[in-house]
């Protein structure tokens, strides 16, 4: 292990463990005096803002072996936690099979930040804007503890345990796994039984609403995936929402209410109300919870409305175009002058 | 017994900067921005927001743009860094020329960062779509010029680069 011993200087010590286990043991030894550093972009922001004190020991994860690759494996795609957002954004397999992850990354920070920031860092923040898209694809997390690699844990479950403070804070995220999808187009032909009816139309949409059009902290993020089958019913409905300091979460009650129900416009007011009830935003002095609830409800209802409109006008067979990031404030460019 | 250098937390650090090998004793947690400006005198890289929002400190690390205020120097160990001083050494780069011709700057403080971002963009996409330009420049703020002139500069630089065969693999004079 390569480390710097700095008993008198003010500068933090930087440690370069060879692998995740060594990093874990080091963190255990140094305790709260140490912090894991991946890309370090969020940490730097927090240090400069004074919202977090600079730790005297930094444990560099980027040089640790085994966390920097993207590869297909049995059951899906595995993304090492130290892969940068920039690499993810341009990865052909990732962006074609899981397009909302690519869309969400495009809406996260700016390219120069994404060339340093990692997907693992975005996940471990617990509020990263990529999380709703990962939730939509039922992502799993692979962790390292003292004994070794743990069994994959659903992201959804990890977020809940994290919120409850029920996790070992020293564990290291090794990889994010995305379960295999049926095909690249996202339009899946059912194989039999009750699923014998083919899906007519599918929509996959990610939204981020911030104060600027680009490179802005989120107020609300939503991700929606839904299909309407030949019988005119919703199926395969997945909806996630987050934004700001809110814990991203799937809106499971709304999903269950929609699946199998007749897909018509009369349901949309109920969709709006159910999002208002189920989505748990975190308001602040600039944007309260009520505003954020209304925003999320409007976006999700509008996505389903778009799906219904296309079903009515075209009869299906098309992949609905995802909508890009929207700006909370009206303006021609969304850029400060 | 530790040397004085070790005692105060310095460590040998080597990387390539603007084509030349640089070796220093630095604290690995220092920001690349500070080492470039304070230790190496490369003050064309500007300090502004300190949190990766404005793009004034943009440099290339192994050919891709990064905010040097966000990069601790240990992350740059052994890498290739290009600053604005490494651009257009044998005459103005086409992107610099385009910014001059189109008035793509006013006070000029953001301009080195803008230039570095646009060079990286046009290196990857010599004829970028408007959305690609918008995305690439989303991390570069200008508070006085206005973006219209900057966008015109990008377009003119693109035309010049394409005209001189400076796309990927190009060998024109403006490719430097």
């Amino acid at each position: 292990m390569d480390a710097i011993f700095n008993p008198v200087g003010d500068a933090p010590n930087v440690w370069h463990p060879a692998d995740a286990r060594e990093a874990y043991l080091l963190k255990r030894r140094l305790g709260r005096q140490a912090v894991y550093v991946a890309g370090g972009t969020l940490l730097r922001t927090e240090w400069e803002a004074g919202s977090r004190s600079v730790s005297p020991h930094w444990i560099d994860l980027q040089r640790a072996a085994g966390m920097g690759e993207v590869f297909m494996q049995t059951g899906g795609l595995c993304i090492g936690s130290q892969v940068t957002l920039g690499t993810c954004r341009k990865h052909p397999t990732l962006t074609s099979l899981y397009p909302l992850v690519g869309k969400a990354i495009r809406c996260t920070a700016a390219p120069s930040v994404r060339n340093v920031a990692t997907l693992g860092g975005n996940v471990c923040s617990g509020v990263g804007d990529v999380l709703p898209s990962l939730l939509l694809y039922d992502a799993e997390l692979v962790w390292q503890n003292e004994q070794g690699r743990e069994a994959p844990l659903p992201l959804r479950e990890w977020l809940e345990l994290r919120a409850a403070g029920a996790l070992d804070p020293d564990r290291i995220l090794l990889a994010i796994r995305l379960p295999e999808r049926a095909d690249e187009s996202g339009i899946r032909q059912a194989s039999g039984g009750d699923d014998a009816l083919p899906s007519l139309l599918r929509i996959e949409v990610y939204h981020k609403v911030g104060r600027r059009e680009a490179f802005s902290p989120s107020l609300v993020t939503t991700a929606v995936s839904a299909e309407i089958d030949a019988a005119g019913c919703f199926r395969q409905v997945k909806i996630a929402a987050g934004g700001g300091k809110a814990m991203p979460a799937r809106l499971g009650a709304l999903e269950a209410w929609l699946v199998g129900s007749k897909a018509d416009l009369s349901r949309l007011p109920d969709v709006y109300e159910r999002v208002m009830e189920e989505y748990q935003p975190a308001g602040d002095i600039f944007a309260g919870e009520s505003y954020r609830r209304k925003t999320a409800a409007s976006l999700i209802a509008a996505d389903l409305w778009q799906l219904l409109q296309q079903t009515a006008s075209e009869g299906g067979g098309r992949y609905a175009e995802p909508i890009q990031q929207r700006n909370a404030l009206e303006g021609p460019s969304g850029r400060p002058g | 017994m530790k040397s004085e250098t070790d005692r105060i937390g310095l460590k040998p650090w080597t990387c390539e900067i603007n084509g030349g090998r640089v070796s220093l004793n630095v604290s690995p947690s220092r920001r690349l921005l500070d080492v470039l400006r304070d230790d190496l005198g490369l003050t064309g890289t500007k300090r502004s927001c300190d949190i990766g929002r404005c793009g004034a400190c943009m440099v290339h690390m192994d050919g891709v743009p990064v905010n040097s205020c966000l990069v601790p120097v240990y992350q740059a160990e052994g890498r290739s860094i290009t600053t604005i001083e490494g651009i257009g050494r044998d005459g103005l780069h086409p992107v610099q020329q385009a910014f001059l011709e189109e008035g793509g700057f006013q006070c000029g403080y953001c301009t080195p960062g803008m230039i570095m971002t646009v060079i990286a963009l046009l290196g990857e996409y010599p004829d970028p779509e408007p959305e690609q330009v918008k995305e690439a420049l989303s991390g570069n703020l200008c508070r006085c010029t206005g973006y219209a002139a900057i966008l015109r500069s990008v377009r003119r630089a693109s035309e010049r680069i394409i005209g001189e065969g400076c796309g990927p693999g190009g060998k024109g004079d403006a490719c430097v």
Side-chain angles (χ1 to χ4, degrees):
Chain A
M1 187 187 312
D2 184 15
I4 290 177
F5 180 65
N6 180 28
V8 295
D10 291 332
N13 298 332
V14 181
W15 302 77
H16 302 291
D19 54 34
R21 184 168 189 277
E22 193 173 297
Y24 179 89
L25 295 175
L26 185 59
K27 179 72 168 68
R28 272 292 165 95
R29 180 159 68 85
L30 296 171
R32 300 179 67 177
Q33 295 291 303
V35 64
Y36 293 126
V37 182
T41 55
L42 178 60
L43 284 171
R44 177 69 67 186
T45 304
E46 293 173 343
W47 291 333
E48 294 293 341
S51 58
R52 175 196 283 258
S53 59
V54 179
S55 301
H57 296 278
W58 299 3
I59 302 174
D60 170 31
L61 296 180
Q62 289 196 309
R63 292 191 206 171
M67 296 187 282
E69 303 292 329
V70 182
F71 56 92
M72 291 298 298
Q73 60 178 192
T74 304
L77 185 70
C78 187
I79 309 163
S81 63
Q82 300 306 297
V83 177
T84 66
L85 293 175
T87 298
C88 292
R89 164 94 172 98
K90 294 178 179 173
H91 196 280
T93 306
L94 173 57
T95 53
S96 62
L97 288 179
Y98 310 94
L100 293 195
V101 177
K103 297 288 178 190
I105 291 173
R106 187 200 180 284
C107 298
T108 301
S112 55
V113 179
R114 300 198 294 259
N115 287 332
V116 178
T118 64
L119 183 60
N122 194 274
V123 169
C124 287
S125 73
V127 293
D129 288 339
V130 184
L131 285 167
S133 68
L134 295 173
L135 281 169
L136 206 76
Y137 295 124
D138 298 309
E140 298 176 324
L141 307 180
V142 182
W143 297 88
Q144 167 85 36
N145 66 18
E146 190 167 0
Q147 281 71 46
R149 180 180 292 244
E150 297 178 3
L153 179 69
L155 169 61
R156 193 174 180 173
E157 192 176 329
W158 174 75
L159 284 165
E160 291 167 358
L161 291 170
R162 181 181 183 275
L167 293 169
D168 171 6
D170 295 336
R171 292 193 313 173
I172 295 173
L173 178 61
L174 298 175
I176 298 95
R177 295 198 342 171
L178 291 166
E180 192 171 13
R181 304 195 76 198
D183 62 39
E184 291 191 9
S185 71
I187 300 176
R188 189 169 47 79
Q189 296 299 315
S191 57
D194 291 341
D195 290 336
L197 294 171
S199 298
L200 283 181
L201 192 66
R202 178 182 188 132
I203 191 169
E204 284 191 5
V205 190
Y206 174 86
H207 296 290
K208 172 176 170 175
V209 175
R211 295 184 180 281
R212 296 174 59 217
E213 186 175 352
F215 198 7
S216 172
S218 63
L219 298 175
V220 173
T221 52
T222 60
V224 173
S225 170
E227 296 174 12
I228 294 177
D229 64 22
C233 295
F234 285 114
R235 49 177 287 166
Q236 300 289 334
V237 179
K238 296 180 178 180
I239 300 172
K245 296 296 183 189
M247 183 186 85
R250 287 274 290 271
L251 304 186
L254 174 60
E255 291 176 0
W257 180 74
L258 281 170
V259 169
S261 68
K262 201 69 181 172
D264 59 53
L265 291 171
S266 68
R267 301 192 79 78
L268 295 185
D270 285 335
V271 169
Y272 183 95
E273 291 303 325
R274 285 170 184 268
V275 175
M276 292 283 288
E277 290 172 14
E278 190 171 4
Y279 171 49
Q280 298 295 321
D284 59 28
I285 193 169
F286 300 107
E289 292 186 5
S290 174
Y291 168 78
R292 293 172 195 250
R293 278 200 182 90
K294 290 175 183 173
T295 302
S298 298
L299 290 171
I300 292 166
D303 290 338
L304 296 178
W305 176 84
Q306 183 185 29
L307 179 61
L308 291 170
Q309 289 298 301
Q310 293 196 17
T311 303
S313 63
E314 299 173 22
R318 257 191 51 189
Y319 187 89
E321 289 293 327
I323 299 171
Q324 298 297 326
Q325 184 177 0
R326 291 181 177 176
N327 189 0
L329 303 177
E330 293 297 329
S333 69
R335 300 289 303 262
Chain B
M1 185 172 183
K2 292 184 177 297
S3 69
E4 178 63 12
T5 299
D6 280 343
R7 199 180 69 79
I8 60 174
L10 304 183
K11 183 177 181 181
W13 175 76
T14 301
C15 75
E16 181 185 297
I17 296 181
N18 296 332
R21 180 184 166 91
V22 172
S23 296
L24 296 171
N25 286 321
V26 297
S27 167
S29 61
R30 285 182 67 197
R31 303 183 307 178
L32 178 60
L33 169 64
D34 297 328
V35 172
L36 291 173
R37 288 180 58 87
D38 301 340
D39 295 28
L40 300 173
L42 297 171
T43 54
T45 301
K46 301 304 181 192
R47 179 186 176 191
S48 184
C49 73
D50 287 334
I51 54 171
R53 293 289 187 272
C54 72
C57 67
M58 199 73 70
V59 299
H60 294 175
M61 187 158 71
D62 290 344
V64 300
V66 300
N67 305 82
S68 59
C69 72
L70 292 178
V71 176
V73 290
Y74 76 79
Q75 290 183 349
E77 171 80 36
R79 315 281 286 269
S80 174
I81 306 297
T82 304
T83 70
I84 190 68
E85 288 88 350
I87 301 298
R89 289 179 156 182
D90 299 320
L92 289 177
H93 187 282
V95 174
Q96 293 173 311
Q97 186 68 39
F99 271 70
L100 276 172
E101 292 169 354
E102 293 291 348
F105 62 93
Q106 187 165 304
C107 82
Y109 198 81
C110 71
T111 309
M114 291 277 182
I115 297 288
M116 299 307 290
T117 293
V118 175
I119 288 174
L121 168 69
L122 298 182
E124 188 172 10
Y125 305 107
D127 187 17
E129 297 293 328
E131 275 301 311
Q132 290 173 313
V133 177
K134 192 172 168 183
E135 181 178 355
L137 285 174
S138 64
N140 289 82
L141 300 184
C142 174
R143 295 287 176 177
C144 64
T145 308
Y147 293 95
I150 291 169
L151 295 175
R152 284 200 313 271
S153 303
V154 176
R155 178 46 48 201
R156 180 178 283 244
S158 168
E159 291 166 358
R160 185 175 172 86
I161 284 173
I162 292 170
E164 299 196 15
C166 290
K171 293 186 172 62
D173 291 340
C175 306
V176 178

